Amino acid sequence: MNQITNEYQKAQELASSEGGRVAADGCQHCHDGNWIHLRYEYPDEQAVTDATYVVQKPNGGEPGGEVITEGVLTVTELSRHKYIHVDLGDYDGEVEVFFFDDPTEPVPFEEPAPVEDERTWLERAAESVASSIASGAQWSWETLQGDFNENMSTSQIITNAVVTAVPVVDQVADLRDLIANSKLLIRDKRYDEIGVWVGVFACLIGLVPSLGSLAKGVIKIIWKNASEMGRVLVYINKVLHRTGMRVNGYRFVTKLADDVVDQVGFVSRKFDEFLDLTAQKVSLLKNLTPGFVEDTLETIEKVRRMASRRFEAAALAIRKRILWAVTDFATKAYAVLPGQSIIVRRVIEPILDNGVYRRFQNHMGREGFEDTALTPGAREITEADRAKIDRIRRVGARRWRDELLADPKLPSSLREFAENEKTSDIFLNVLRTFGEKPTYKDFEKDGAAEIYRVIGTEDQIGGAFWSRSAPPDDEQTWRVRDAVSNDWNRGGGYMVAKVPPPPAALIGSIGPQDLGDATKHDAVALHPDMILDGGGEQLWFPKLDRDTPAIPEKQLLGFKYTKWNAPSDALRSLRQAGKIDECDL
């Protein structure tokens, strides 16, 4: 949307007059391009330190958009600056920023053990599995669970995995994980436990040169506890950067969600190689325990046959958990324009987020909404209801059309639509949505007005039916009053616009909706013998064609959540014009 709300427009004007181009101190040349200033606060207004921030192109107020940049907040109580400066490069449009919560300070980086040839490493693991099977040793679960379940901190796991270009394989933990999980598959025959396959998958994906042990460490942490995502990102962005490895944590992790699926073939091949080595080692023990060895070799082949399919399932499970971690454990995304400062502050009590947005927000789509369920407030239809609906459809609408066209004062935009051969039938069908003869509203003569339209998807933005009043606080009241069934509109948000243009609209009371009428979607009626009463007021604006919005985009003032769908958030955002002497440059 091109229209900028008054709040944004004023902030932009202030940014131009008070920002980097005219301030007396600070790094003035650093503020000549596109930039924003960020600050994240506790309820007492103290700065949150060591939280990861991500700046993305607009994505409907949700994480997951195209990333512009990311980093770690460095403001502390002792800092001279209140904000961090974020360079947007060539991007000069509105951006969104979100945060992952503050972890503890990372431990110092220590160089991991040297790299060893992966073939030798696989062979060592195979030999250990074979010898343990032959000896029948009772390995306790506590000994064998390895890194995936032992009490290692996030900092230790990441520090031990801080290599991406070349895999670090000569670590006791890596070797033990592969041995432990392979033993569970081959000796204990726990084929149906997804966690076992995830363990093997994570060990072997560490051999991918472009992913390395860092991938294994991330998978290990997120599989154990997805809420650790914020801490993972800080350790990657701070610890790795200290070593000179410029890895962007958020982008690495989100890409890893796809990489795990792409690497199923590689992992399957490496596991097949490992099983070959294990079978060779087991075969050498045939003279010691022949019956047991034969059974083990048969089990190895069984595991081999199912491995590819199970690794696919493991990869999808890992991907799902990573995506859950990067969405559910991030804050919502807050819009900010170049040249602005934004403070996102935690609040003690959750607040109802009912602000104005420049774009449709993803949460307005009400994911999981049951649009086939019976609409709240619907009642059983009566014969009198059916008779009224029939009169409107067969007689009333045609009479109303003729009477409107006979009125010399009917605005020309409505007259042209009603008389046009291509749109006259549409006009008649529109009249059938009213409960009684509508009149018209000429906004060019009567004066400008704000209008409102409830929507549930972006596809509904261009619709022709509007209202002169914002939706009520209660969803059932709105659905009954405006005769809106669940399958017509999810009702997650509403638009605010100012008219004219367009110059005029029909206005009148809303007719009842028969929920047993399946003609609207050419489908089977979902709830026959039920009705929504209607009775509210509606505006209808003529649309020139199917693809042209009824209300021009330039007339839109913004989008708001309906009260029944407004998210409760424990954060509040404050935007203002940015100044060059407030940041860390």
Side-chain angles (χ1 to χ4, degrees):
M1 181 170 54
N2 296 324
Q3 173 82 5
I4 298 179
T5 61
N6 290 337
E7 177 189 4
Y8 280 102
Q9 187 64 55
K10 291 176 181 177
Q12 277 293 83
E13 292 169 357
L14 282 170
S16 297
S17 63
E18 298 179 23
R21 295 172 178 78
V22 295
D25 32 51
C27 179
Q28 182 167 342
H29 74 276
C30 298
H31 290 76
D32 285 340
N34 304 307
W35 53 270
I36 58 174
H37 289 166
L38 300 180
R39 181 177 173 87
Y40 187 27
E41 294 183 345
Y42 293 107
D44 62 2
E45 301 185 19
Q46 294 297 314
V48 175
T49 302
D50 280 343
T52 296
Y53 68 84
V54 179
V55 180
Q56 66 181 15
K57 294 181 180 179
N59 189 50
E62 302 288 342
E66 182 181 341
V67 177
I68 298 172
T69 187
E70 65 179 283
V72 178
L73 296 170
T74 56
V75 181
T76 70
E77 293 183 33
L78 302 178
S79 300
R80 296 181 60 185
H81 56 277
K82 291 183 62 177
Y83 300 83
I84 65 161
H85 178 92
V86 179
D87 186 0
L88 303 180
D90 295 333
Y91 187 79
D92 60 358
E94 181 188 58
V95 298
E96 292 177 341
V97 58
F98 59 94
F99 304 91
F100 287 89
D101 243 336
D102 54 315
T104 55
E105 176 67 20
V107 297
F109 170 72
E110 294 179 6
E111 185 67 27
V115 176
E116 180 184 335
D117 177 71
E118 67 179 58
R119 172 82 181 187
T120 304
W121 183 71
L122 287 172
E123 190 167 1
R124 285 172 56 195
E127 188 170 329
S128 296
V129 172
S131 61
S132 69
I133 292 172
S135 65
Q138 295 299 310
W139 292 0
S140 71
W141 176 236
E142 288 77 14
T143 302
L144 289 175
Q145 56 193 333
D147 284 356
F148 273 82
N149 289 279
E150 72 178 345
N151 189 27
M152 287 184 68
S153 69
T154 298
S155 60
Q156 290 170 319
I157 294 172
I158 290 294
T159 299
N160 287 341
V162 176
V163 172
T164 57
V166 180
V168 176
V169 295
D170 189 26
Q171 296 184 48
V172 173
D174 289 332
L175 189 64
R176 182 177 58 201
D177 279 348
L178 183 58
I179 295 169
N181 287 292
S182 299
K183 173 261 181 186
L184 295 177
L185 290 174
I186 296 170
R187 198 179 84 170
D188 296 351
K189 303 180 181 180
R190 293 165 64 171
Y191 317 127
D192 297 326
E193 296 183 22
I194 188 69
V196 177
W197 291 98
V198 168
V200 175
F201 188 96
C203 291
L204 295 176
I205 203 173
L207 299 176
V208 179
S210 61
L211 297 175
S213 290
L214 182 59
K216 178 198 170 184
V218 170
I219 293 170
K220 179 170 21 179
I221 295 166
I222 301 308
W223 192 258
K224 287 173 61 177
N225 187 356
S227 66
E228 289 280 89
M229 178 55 74
R231 188 164 295 167
V232 168
L233 297 180
V234 168
Y235 279 104
I236 294 175
N237 282 337
K238 290 191 76 173
V239 177
L240 276 177
H241 285 206
R242 290 175 184 173
T243 71
M245 300 177 187
R246 309 300 290 181
V247 176
N248 296 297
Y250 177 78
R251 278 168 280 189
F252 177 87
V253 171
T254 52
K255 185 175 182 296
L256 179 61
D258 293 325
D259 286 340
V260 292
V261 177
D262 294 340
Q263 296 299 331
V264 168
F266 174 89
V267 169
S268 297
R269 290 192 297 273
K270 288 300 175 185
F271 187 60
D272 194 63
E273 183 181 343
F274 167 71
L275 291 179
D276 283 341
L277 292 168
T278 303
Q280 291 175 18
K281 301 298 181 182
V282 170
S283 297
L284 296 175
L285 304 170
K286 194 169 185 178
N287 293 331
L288 298 178
T289 51
F292 189 71
V293 169
E294 289 174 1
D295 179 65
T296 301
L297 292 174
E298 184 178 329
T299 301
I300 289 174
E301 293 309 309
K302 183 176 182 178
V303 170
R304 190 195 306 274
R305 289 192 297 270
M306 69 175 66
S308 179
R309 185 176 69 255
R310 295 303 173 90
F311 282 140
E312 287 179 4
L316 291 174
I318 294 168
R319 182 179 189 276
K320 182 178 180 180
R321 197 164 184 86
I322 290 174
L323 294 178
W324 171 49
V326 298
T327 53
D328 281 30
F329 296 98
T331 69
K332 63 168 290 187
Y334 295 91
V336 59
L337 291 170
Q340 286 186 331
S341 300
I342 183 170
I343 300 174
V344 177
R345 181 179 301 153
R346 300 181 190 177
V347 294
I348 297 174
E349 296 293 334
I351 58 175
L352 203 63
D353 188 346
N354 206 28
V356 178
Y357 299 87
R358 300 179 67 216
R359 294 175 174 82
F360 180 86
Q361 303 292 290
N362 292 349
H363 184 69
M364 292 175 181
R366 301 180 80 179
E367 184 178 354
F369 179 80
E370 296 184 15
D371 50 13
T372 59
L374 179 63
T375 304
R379 62 171 178 80
E380 290 188 13
I381 196 169
T382 66
E383 289 306 313
D385 296 324
R386 295 187 194 278
K388 178 179 179 180
I389 293 172
D390 187 61
R391 283 196 305 273
I392 292 173
R393 289 179 176 176
R394 292 195 302 109
V395 180
R398 296 179 184 276
R399 186 177 69 248
W400 299 341
R401 178 196 60 191
D402 295 341
E403 291 175 358
L404 286 167
L405 289 174
D407 185 347
K409 296 182 179 179
L410 181 70
S412 61
S413 61
L414 298 174
R415 182 180 300 279
E416 290 169 5
F417 194 93
E419 293 179 339
N420 188 303
E421 185 178 304
K422 295 181 179 179
T423 56
S424 58
D425 287 344
I426 297 175
F427 188 78
L428 193 60
N429 284 331
V430 166
L431 291 175
R432 290 174 176 140
T433 68
F434 289 87
E436 57 189 34
K437 177 188 171 183
T439 182
Y440 48 83
K441 184 75 174 175
D442 191 329
F443 293 102
E444 289 185 334
K445 293 182 178 179
D446 299 338
E450 279 196 1
I451 58 173
Y452 308 86
R453 172 174 168 79
V454 178
I455 57 175
T457 67
E458 290 187 87
D459 294 340
Q460 296 172 330
I461 289 175
F465 289 92
W466 291 70
S467 174
R468 290 193 295 180
S469 60
D473 293 351
D474 176 64
E475 181 174 9
Q476 179 172 318
T477 300
W478 167 69
R479 291 195 178 277
V480 173
R481 185 196 72 182
D482 291 5
V484 182
S485 61
N486 284 349
D487 60 328
W488 269 42
N489 192 329
R490 294 188 168 197
Y494 65 97
M495 306 158 62
V496 185
K498 189 173 183 177
V499 291
L506 291 179
I507 184 171
S509 66
I510 300 169
Q513 181 185 156
D514 179 359
L515 299 186
D517 179 7
T519 59
K520 60 187 178 183
H521 295 310
D522 295 322
V524 176
L526 295 174
H527 302 287
D529 303 322
M530 302 299 289
I531 191 173
L532 291 169
D533 286 321
E537 182 187 82
Q538 69 181 10
L539 295 167
W540 175 81
F541 294 87
K543 291 184 63 170
L544 298 178
D545 59 68
R546 185 186 184 100
D547 298 324
T548 301
I551 305 300
E553 186 177 353
K554 65 180 181 179
Q555 299 303 113
L556 299 183
L557 302 179
F559 296 80
K560 302 185 76 173
Y561 285 102
T562 48
K563 289 290 183 66
W564 56 83
N565 186 49
S568 295
D569 204 347
L571 299 172
R572 184 187 299 274
S573 64
L574 308 169
R575 286 181 294 267
Q576 61 188 20
K579 301 179 181 180
I580 67 173
D581 58 353
E582 66 187 5
C583 70
D584 54 343
L585 291 184

